[in-house]
Amino acid sequence: MTNDDRAGPPLLGGERETLRAFLDYHRATLAMKCAGLSDEQLRERSMPPSTLSLLALVRHLAEVERAWFRRVFEDEDAPMVWSDRAFDFQAAYDASASNRAEAFAAWEAEVETSRRIERDAVSLDLVGHQIRWERDVSLRMVMVHVLLEYGRHNGHADLLREGVDGTVGA
């Protein structure tokens, strides 16, 4: 990848600044992996029978952002983006009728909501309720969990992008 304009995390930042920066870095990585591809290329699946594609990852991570920020800290009744069933993260993986505009609009909206929730929180000790687990969780835990989701799925995005057009890197 030649156009890498991601802002790297601080080398000496505080906890919150570092978590925020790493999360934004991974968000930017996902967007970078999808850059310059057509809708058809974004929908290319990894291998049968998997429905995994770059577009599916964008859709899935929109669900992750919603489930871990919006539903935990603001509105636990907020519906999933692509499913009528609570906690159905698999529906997002069917991107066969989706396109860049639809998927990225949903993902970017959820990212902005997540950023607002984090910015408005007095501390990382803010407690929300994760209804899937029926447990209270801190904002710190949520940020780390979502960061791990991006790390794992950006590894998938590396392989998917290479399979689409041979592009490798960051």
Side-chain angles (χ1 to χ4, degrees), residues 47-115:
M47 68 185 78
S50 176
T51 58
L52 187 63
S53 68
L54 287 164
L55 203 56
L57 288 177
V58 172
R59 289 166 48 104
H60 173 70
L61 286 160
E63 295 284 26
V64 166
E65 295 270 0
R66 178 175 285 208
W68 283 98
F69 284 95
R70 183 186 302 239
R71 293 182 81 186
V72 169
F73 296 107
E74 280 192 346
D75 179 8
E76 70 180 34
D77 294 324
M80 300 293 284
V81 181
W82 285 284
S83 179
D84 294 333
R85 295 189 340 239
F87 315 118
D88 178 9
F89 290 92
Q90 293 306 307
Y93 283 114
D94 181 6
S96 58
S98 186
N99 59 54
R100 173 189 294 276
E102 178 241 9
F104 273 85
W107 176 66
E108 290 166 357
E110 292 305 322
V111 166
E112 284 310 309
T113 297
S114 299
R115 285 179 176 142

Side-chain angles (χ1 to χ4, degrees), residues 85-161:
R85 295 189 340 239
F87 315 118
D88 178 9
F89 290 92
Q90 293 306 307
Y93 283 114
D94 181 6
S96 58
S98 186
N99 59 54
R100 173 189 294 276
E102 178 241 9
F104 273 85
W107 176 66
E108 290 166 357
E110 292 305 322
V111 166
E112 284 310 309
T113 297
S114 299
R115 285 179 176 142
R116 179 187 45 77
I117 289 168
E118 184 272 323
R119 267 192 323 267
D120 292 349
V122 175
S123 103
L124 293 176
D125 294 325
L126 175 71
V127 173
H129 188 72
Q130 175 45 276
I131 58 174
R132 185 176 188 188
W133 295 351
E134 298 180 2
R135 303 286 302 269
D136 288 343
V137 295
S138 70
L139 177 58
R140 175 183 296 102
M141 182 274 169
V142 167
M143 290 182 75
V144 170
H145 181 86
V146 173
L147 180 58
L148 292 172
E149 285 273 347
Y150 273 96
R152 178 173 48 146
H153 293 307
N154 279 337
H156 299 139
D158 284 340
L159 296 171
L160 288 163
R161 179 64 190 249

